[in-house]
Amino acid sequence: MTTSVRDLQERGLGATLRRDAWWMQPAVTALILGSFAIYATWAAWVGIHYEWGPYLSPFYSPYIKTTWWPLSPAFLILVFPLGFRSTCYYYRKAYYRAFFLDPAACAVGEARHGYKGETKFPFILQNLHRFFMYAAVIFIFILAYDVFLAIRWPTGGLNPDGTIPAGSSFGFGMGVGSLMMAINVILLSCYTFGCHSLRHLIGGQVDCFSCARGGRARFEMWRGVSVLNRHHMLFAWCSLFSVALTDLYIRLCAIGIIHDVRLF
């Protein structure tokens, strides 16, 4: 007696002929994304220990200090990078499978059998991805400026609590935190500039680069974005870890659990 695809679908969620551990990938994805979401929410909520010396956590950059906002300043800006990641084409596939089990894996039965795409609320909001991409590009330059500030050290040193003394003069210097912030910007840049929407924006509507205005420059940009786009999944995960680890390092320095190592 054979089992048809229709029979498997009618059995519902998890029905499959696969004998491998197909559930492992969505389970690990759910664990990592869920852990990051919990940590990022906590780090943004507490509103303290997000800067030490010239270092500023990427969760709080750009730092907006106001009197009218009662919550943590991180919530004023996190909506943009969070919106960019949550609407990302790769992350959508990842968390649809991990959290909604839709589908859980290839050739594995799912809970629903009618597919309507992303045509209804809230999934129709995924169409905002391109607009979040514009904001994400701006954030890259803001974070790069933070790296520039992170290599400007007060010549007289820091106060015991890790703050910069008033009236300090600055010189070039780099610590482990500076290096981590720089690596974070590089990984975020590779992830952002490898975005599918950016690739389409540059060359997706061009049938003939040699016929288009500025075609040569657009072609070279499109090729560069395409190189990054081939490794979009890798940069998506690496940049996710780098953001969290950079915040954690600065936070531990600010609390006093660890001490930043001055490289030069």
Side-chain angles (χ1 to χ4, degrees), residues 54-258:
Y55 303 157
L56 176 64
S57 166
F59 287 145
Y60 285 79
S61 180
Y63 179 54
I64 302 176
K65 190 174 183 179
T66 66
T67 57
W68 53 268
W69 182 250
L71 302 177
S72 166
F75 289 118
L76 290 173
I77 54 97
L78 275 181
V79 61
F80 299 104
L82 177 61
F84 178 61
R85 284 190 183 266
S86 62
T87 59
C88 167
Y89 297 131
Y90 167 71
Y91 276 120
R92 277 145 72 171
K93 182 191 81 170
Y95 68 73
Y96 283 174
R97 289 185 173 186
F99 296 114
F100 304 146
L101 301 178
D102 192 16
C106 183
V108 176
E110 53 190 283
R112 68 186 179 102
H113 306 303
Y115 179 72
K116 298 181 180 179
E118 297 169 333
T119 59
K120 292 186 177 182
F121 184 84
F123 299 109
I124 196 172
L125 297 178
Q126 304 284 26
N127 293 315
L128 296 175
H129 179 61
R130 172 172 292 186
F131 301 101
F132 283 121
M133 183 265 294
Y134 298 146
V137 170
I138 296 174
F139 271 74
I140 295 297
F141 292 97
I142 294 174
L143 292 173
Y145 180 69
D146 289 339
V147 174
F148 169 73
L149 296 179
I151 59 176
R152 296 176 68 250
W153 284 77
T155 54
L158 300 173
N159 292 323
D161 60 353
T163 58
I164 299 176
S168 295
S169 57
F170 294 88
F172 176 75
M174 178 174 287
V176 172
S178 309
L179 185 60
M180 292 186 66
M181 292 174 67
I183 293 174
N184 181 52
V185 170
I186 292 172
L187 292 175
L188 285 174
S189 298
C190 291
Y191 169 60
T192 303
F193 292 116
C195 173
H196 296 78
S197 288
L198 182 61
R199 184 171 181 264
H200 177 76
L201 182 65
I202 294 173
Q205 299 177 345
V206 180
D207 295 326
C208 174
F209 280 105
S210 60
C211 305
R213 178 176 297 180
R216 183 64 184 178
R218 293 185 65 180
F219 175 70
E220 294 299 332
M221 292 175 61
W222 177 81
R223 283 209 308 181
V225 172
S226 297
V227 170
L228 297 176
N229 183 259
R230 294 190 195 104
H231 307 285
H232 196 51
M233 181 181 72
L234 174 63
F235 291 130
W237 284 112
C238 289
S239 62
L240 189 79
F241 282 107
S242 69
V243 170
L245 290 175
T246 302
D247 174 86
L248 180 62
Y249 182 84
I250 296 172
R251 188 171 301 278
L252 293 178
C253 287
I255 296 173
I257 296 178
I258 63 174

